[in-house]
Amino acid sequence: MKNKKRAVVTGASRGIGKEIALLLGKNGYTVLVNYKKNKEAAEEVVALIRENGGWAKAFCADVSKRTEAFSLIEAAEKELGGIDILVNNAGISQTKLFTDVSEEELEEVFASNLKSAFYTAQAAEPLMRHQAFGRIINIASVWGEEGASMEAAYSASKAGLIGLTKALAKELAPSGITVNAVSPGVIKTDMLAQYSEDELSALTEEIPLGYIAGGREVAEAVLFLSGEGASYITGQVIAVNGGFHI
Ligand code: NAP
């Protein structure tokens, strides 16, 4: 019987990606824990999954680079025997006036947040097509839906990721591959370090559910999209934002 529980999570050493890897690991998925720099943190995630009786391995790859993104999927073939679930979570933020964004800075945000998902999906598609099963889940952002002032590059990269999700959903459906996005609102991770306490309080006041969630809430949506119950869902953007943007 085909194993439908082999998952690759990009940017899984910290934050939302870590929670996704842990939750998938807890639910019987074998997980390749990708990271860019933080080997120690990634190994900790692996250890936590193994402590809970799961199986995981860490793999270093800068997915903003095409060759490294492809090497990640090759590692999935070698270490997991294939790939069923691809979670494109790796991303970076950037806050500055859009007139101050240099060509290199724009490229870094687009490569990290958008091109990375394009590359990993390109690498995974033949394997998924061959087995007529695959789930690609892209972690977008509320700012990709509504745009954020001083975050033009970030917002554009995430809006692009939503466009990629919808286009791939149509192109890959005949191959048995679903493609969806999970769009978090404000989530407590290192990425929020750029905000002051006052800014965070102001943001919290704008969240109808009244609090800033952790990565676990996002991971639950990813777990659902990975599972049998989501078999007829494709091309959708599932918002996990406490009502911040409706
Ligand atoms: P985070 O805490 O800053 O963690 C980022 C993760 O991505 C780390 O594991 C990092 O690896 C990895 N990473 C970054 N660039 C990478 C690359 N080129 N190749 C491989 N791994 C890379 O971020 P987060 O808050 O968890 O965000 C995760 C995703 O959710 C991002 O796509 C972000 O845009 C999105 N999101 C976050 C929020 C929020 O409020 N936090 C809201 C909406 C959307 P290292 O540890 O090795 O550096």
Side-chain angles (χ1 to χ4, degrees), residues 10-17 34-39 61-64 88-92 112-113 139-142 154 158 183-192:
T10 70
S13 48
R14 294 182 282 129
I16 294 170
N34 163 248
Y35 67 98
K36 181 180 170 187
K37 287 183 290 213
N38 276 300
K39 182 175 170 40
D62 177 351
V63 291
S64 69
N88 288 310
N89 164 80
I92 57 170
S112 302
N113 297 359
I139 307 302
S141 165
V142 64
Y154 182 80
K158 293 295 185 177
S183 182
V186 186
I187 307 295
K188 212 169 183 53
T189 68
D190 294 346
M191 207 174 255
L192 286 198

Side-chain angles (χ1 to χ4, degrees), residues 33-121:
V33 174
N34 163 248
Y35 67 98
K36 181 180 170 187
K37 287 183 290 213
N38 276 300
K39 182 175 170 40
E40 209 173 301
E43 293 294 357
E44 232 169 76
V45 175
V46 167
L48 284 169
I49 292 172
R50 291 188 179 217
E51 270 167 35
N52 276 314
W55 191 95
K57 186 151 187 181
F59 190 81
C60 179
D62 177 351
V63 291
S64 69
K65 300 191 166 83
R66 191 175 190 278
T67 48
E68 294 194 34
F70 272 70
S71 75
L72 174 64
I73 304 304
E74 274 165 31
E77 259 192 292
K78 188 166 161 260
E79 304 291 348
L80 312 181
I83 178 170
D84 303 304
I85 317 293
L86 168 63
V87 185
N88 288 310
N89 164 80
I92 57 170
S93 61
Q94 183 190 82
T95 307
K96 61 196 321 187
L97 280 175
F98 102 100
T99 42
D100 289 344
V101 177
S102 70
E103 193 177 350
E104 292 73 27
E105 287 168 336
L106 181 61
E107 174 55 26
E108 192 192 2
V109 173
F110 278 15
S112 302
N113 297 359
L114 175 57
K115 290 182 175 182
S116 56
F118 205 102
Y119 300 147
T120 53

